[in-house]
Amino acid sequence: MRQKIMSFVGKSLAGVLAAVALLEVGTTSMFFYHQPDIPEELKRK
Amino acid sequence: MSVKDYSIHSLATSIGSWVSRQAGETEKLAVLVYGTEVLLGGIIKLAALAISSFLLGIPHLVAVQVVSAGFIRTLSGGAHCTAYYRCLLSSLLIFLGMGYSLKLGLPHLTVLSNHYMLFCFLVSFYWIYRWAPVPPDNKPLRTDRDRLVRKAWTIIAVLIIMAALIMVGTAKWWVWAITFSILWQCFTLTPFGQKFFYRLDKMLVFFEGKEVTWS
């Protein structure tokens, strides 16, 4: 049961974090003034 | 444990790794770490801005400025610092400085006519027309169409905001908070604005200890 809950939490968080990553890469700029290194799979081709 | 062990990147790496293990998506580790770093960095900056603006008695001004500058920045881009803690410090300096200056200037500004606000927007439009969009080095825009679309959306957004503010008039404090934050955001598009950030970045490097790296 605990494992199922943790898996659900993990998947939900993973969804949120992936969405944030895509949103960040899709817009021209981050909210403020710093840019972390973009992973290769998200770089614009 | 050194300060470096508490950097945003290392914290994001730990959280991202934990999430990828729990979700069973270890192949997406880099994306999850990146998303965590962006989210965590944003939350810390907003919290720092909220706390310090409350202490200075200007939370309303800073909140309006951050939201309006952030909205336009998402469309237009702008200058960047090269490390997280420099970005955090420059954001605090700029937004708190702008907020406090506005607090002092509001009694004089709220009696001005719409022409002064219109002038600020005309300057902003020129800067957008001339230099937007300004993407960061690691996210270059590949096509002219992409550049044109982002420039057009920035102009449309600022036009709508300007029309709304002119209808409201200059007597409201938030009208000037929005006007100055947009003017500032557009300034960061210009070569002068970028040079300003470059110098601010270099100046903040001066305060960086040899063994202390926060990003």
Side-chain angles (χ1 to χ4, degrees):
Chain A
M1 184 63 183
R2 185 178 179 277
Q3 200 176 356
K4 272 188 180 175
I5 293 171
M6 291 312 278
S7 172
F8 174 75
V9 170
K11 280 189 193 303
S12 308
L13 279 174
V16 171
L17 295 176
V20 169
L22 283 174
L23 193 68
E24 170 59 28
V25 172
T27 54
T28 311
S29 186
M30 196 178 164
F31 199 64
F32 294 109
Y33 306 115
H34 167 60
Q35 284 289 306
D37 292 331
I38 298 175
E40 280 303 318
E41 56 262 54
L42 289 181
K43 280 187 179 166
R44 288 186 187 129
K45 300 286 183 274
Chain B
M1 195 175 267
S2 70
V3 174
K4 194 173 183 177
D5 294 325
Y6 292 108
S7 75
I8 291 288
H9 183 69
S10 60
L11 194 58
T13 306
S14 306
I15 295 171
S17 305
W18 182 83
V19 170
S20 73
R21 275 200 310 277
Q22 295 300 325
E25 295 177 357
T26 45
E27 72 282 359
K28 287 186 184 169
L29 177 64
V31 175
L32 296 178
V33 169
Y34 177 71
T36 311
E37 193 169 344
V38 169
L39 195 61
L40 207 58
I43 289 170
I44 291 171
K45 273 176 216 167
L46 286 179
L49 274 167
I51 293 166
S52 39
S53 63
F54 263 108
L55 291 175
L56 287 171
I58 49 170
H60 54 304
L61 289 167
V62 172
V64 170
Q65 285 178 335
V66 168
V67 170
S68 39
F71 173 61
I72 298 302
R73 187 176 179 79
T74 307
L75 301 168
S76 71
H80 283 276
C81 288
T82 52
Y84 179 75
Y85 84 95
R86 280 174 234 151
C87 162
L88 178 63
L89 284 176
S90 56
S91 300
L92 285 172
L93 280 173
I94 290 159
F95 283 109
L96 295 177
M98 201 158 59
Y100 206 80
S101 311
L102 195 59
K103 184 188 175 185
L104 297 176
L106 271 176
H108 311 288
L109 291 168
T110 47
V111 294
L112 293 177
S113 73
N114 272 356
H115 295 96
Y116 292 91
M117 183 172 60
L118 196 63
F119 175 74
C120 293
F121 276 103
L122 286 178
V123 174
S124 301
F125 277 122
Y126 175 72
W127 285 338
I128 294 168
Y129 167 75
R130 187 81 171 77
W131 285 293
V134 177
D137 292 340
N138 61 352
K139 288 196 298 185
L141 298 173
R142 301 290 184 201
T143 62
D144 285 341
R145 189 181 176 279
D146 199 358
R147 279 185 209 98
L148 205 63
V149 167
R150 286 167 200 265
K151 190 195 286 277
W153 275 114
T154 311
I155 290 174
I156 291 167
V158 177
L159 257 179
I160 292 170
I161 292 169
M162 184 187 76
L165 295 189
I166 284 175
M167 280 194 282
V168 173
T170 57
K172 306 276 185 195
W173 63 267
W174 50 268
V175 167
W176 285 106
I178 295 172
T179 304
F180 281 122
S181 63
I182 290 177
L183 188 67
W184 166 259
Q185 170 47 38
C186 294
F187 172 70
T188 71
L189 302 172
T190 67
F192 305 109
Q194 295 188 46
K195 200 172 270 183
F196 173 82
F197 270 93
Y198 175 78
R199 294 212 186 280
L200 188 63
D201 199 50
K202 289 282 168 212
M203 194 182 78
L204 292 172
V205 171
F206 177 77
F207 296 105
E208 190 174 8
K210 280 182 183 172
E211 292 177 10
V212 180
T213 310
W214 291 14
S215 63

